[in-house]
Amino acid sequence: MDRMRSDEVATDGSAAWLTVRRTSAEDIKERELYVSLDGTRLGILKYGDSATIPVPPGHHELRVHNTLSRKKAEFDAAAGQHIRFTVAG
């Protein structure tokens, strides 16, 4: 599996942006975190990683797991909006 990385996007303002960071000092820095959005795997985050990707406007579900623990967050994104999550293992 690839580590999570940013993709190229249109710059016309029609997309929203999602940033997922794994930079919390409370992270135990063990196990990789597997990230998916709306059922599509985005990649893997190791401690210190951060990625920003474009997302279409609308309702989304972010899921993160480390094979033992699973978390999900639902959010709405508007065109041009930047949504940010900090995740920890």
Side-chain angles (χ1 to χ4, degrees):
M1 244 183 195
D2 293 330
R3 289 177 67 180
M4 191 168 164
R5 61 181 182 269
S6 301
D7 295 323
E8 292 184 28
V9 299
T11 57
D12 63 2
S14 62
W17 298 87
L18 170 66
T19 296
V20 181
R21 293 185 178 122
R22 186 175 178 190
T23 56
S24 172
E26 296 178 11
D27 195 307
I28 60 172
K29 304 173 182 107
E30 294 181 13
R31 296 187 166 269
E32 297 162 325
L33 296 182
Y34 299 84
V35 181
S36 64
L37 183 69
D38 301 329
T40 301
R41 187 189 84 200
L42 297 179
I44 300 170
L45 289 178
K46 293 185 178 182
Y47 182 75
D49 286 347
S50 178
T52 300
I53 61 166
V55 296
H59 188 76
H60 299 282
E61 182 179 79
L62 178 71
R63 290 181 177 255
V64 179
H65 74 88
N66 67 1
T67 69
L68 293 175
S69 177
R70 298 177 185 279
K71 299 288 182 179
K72 74 175 181 175
E74 294 186 32
F75 64 94
D76 293 309
Q81 185 177 20
H82 196 149
I83 309 294
R84 294 172 178 88
F85 286 94
T86 298
V87 297

